[in-house]
Amino acid sequence: QQQVKQSPQSLIVQKGGISIINCAYENTAFDYFPWYQQFPGKGPALLIAIRPDVSEKKEGRFTISFNKSAKQFSLHIMDSQPGDSATYFCAATILIYNFNKFYFGSGTKLNVKP
Amino acid sequence: KAGVTQTPRYLIKTRGQQVTLSCSPISGHRSVSWYQQTPGQGLQFLFEYFSETQRNKGNFPGRFSGRQFSNSRSEMNVSTLELGDSALYLCASTADRPGTEAFFGQGTRLTVV
């Protein structure tokens, strides 16, 4: 069973536009929702993260919107730039006896056109 | 603080050979997870370790195995390599507390010819 579902699989946005990636989860015990950014040939790196008691978190051009009742969260990239072109993964985590279990979405390949 | 270190960065092997990849987590992290990533694909979960114990294993054949040492360093081994094993292999380490991120290494790019 896929614990975290991510959409769309790929996204093309014009420079200056808004990129929106959505994720949905099943387990209400998840306690942390990070987003990762991955450039080709590199490992994913944390972009921004949110806890379930917060509905929105903004860092620069990146915003996470979190809807606990709908079990959904999304990443918004404002004023998208060609340098934002990368693959984005959402994730949900749960701590089990000191062990952080991560569940990753399937990824979204973002292409920002100049 | 040093990040997650994976060695080697690149590897070329022949079909039928075996390979061992290494991952040194961030100091103090006892959890290490491994993922396989093929071009255009997501993160396919291989296995995860906590304090030398394998906690979970993904849906991969028995040719894929791993272990974790007392210093939390981890290795994964792939025996009888197949062309389809060509991929970027990533490991990640996490701390033992809630609300913390997974730190990824740069990965090992394995090419099977």
Side-chain angles (χ1 to χ4, degrees):
Chain A
Q1 181 188 7
Q2 192 175 359
Q3 296 270 1
V4 179
K5 294 182 180 178
Q6 183 172 346
S7 63
Q9 187 174 8
S10 62
L11 185 59
I12 300 174
V13 174
Q14 289 296 128
K15 178 183 175 181
I18 302 174
S19 304
I20 302 175
I21 305 171
N22 300 298
C23 285
Y25 63 96
E26 293 294 326
N27 191 342
T28 56
F30 287 140
D31 54 23
Y32 189 62
F33 299 87
W35 283 90
Y36 286 82
Q37 180 187 56
Q38 183 183 28
F39 293 105
K42 304 290 186 182
L46 179 70
L47 182 64
I48 186 173
I50 197 168
R51 300 182 199 281
D53 55 347
V54 177
S55 61
E56 185 176 280
K57 183 173 182 180
K58 183 175 180 179
E59 290 185 0
R61 297 184 293 109
F62 301 91
T63 300
I64 300 178
S65 296
F66 189 84
N67 187 328
K68 192 172 183 177
S69 60
K71 293 189 287 185
Q72 294 176 348
F73 58 111
S74 59
L75 175 69
H76 295 238
I77 306 175
M78 312 300 288
D79 187 26
S80 298
Q81 299 296 313
D84 297 331
S85 297
T87 300
Y88 293 82
F89 294 95
C90 63
T93 79
I94 182 171
L95 189 70
I96 305 172
Y97 300 117
N98 289 338
F99 176 72
N100 259 313
K101 175 67 178 169
F102 276 71
Y103 295 91
F104 286 94
S106 53
T108 297
K109 188 171 184 179
L110 171 65
N111 185 5
V112 181
K113 297 282 191 183
Chain B
K1 198 174 191 181
V4 177
T5 303
Q6 290 189 246
T7 56
R9 287 294 312 279
Y10 303 93
L11 207 49
I12 300 176
K13 289 286 189 178
T14 305
R15 271 184 303 175
Q17 287 186 311
Q18 75 166 20
V19 67
T20 299
L21 311 182
S22 179
C23 173
S24 293
I26 288 175
S27 178
H29 288 189
R30 293 187 290 174
S31 301
V32 174
S33 303
W34 288 89
Y35 299 87
Q36 181 196 64
Q37 189 175 39
T38 49
Q41 297 300 309
L43 301 167
Q44 304 299 314
F45 171 71
L46 281 158
F47 22 66
E48 57 196 3
Y49 291 88
F50 179 74
S51 289
E52 301 178 69
T53 301
Q54 186 179 89
R55 297 296 297 264
N56 289 292
K57 189 176 193 298
N59 189 23
F60 278 81
R63 300 185 296 105
F64 291 80
S65 63
R67 58 179 175 169
Q68 186 180 33
F69 302 95
S70 59
N71 63 357
S72 295
R73 189 178 70 87
S74 179
E75 288 181 347
M76 66 163 282
N77 184 278
V78 187
S79 62
T80 318
L81 284 166
E82 301 177 358
L83 294 179
D85 297 333
S86 296
L88 180 68
Y89 289 87
L90 293 160
C91 86
S93 74
T94 57
D96 305 349
R97 60 182 186 274
T100 185
E101 66 178 286
F103 292 85
F104 283 86
Q106 292 279 55
T108 293
R109 170 73 64 187
L110 171 64
T111 302
V112 182
V113 296

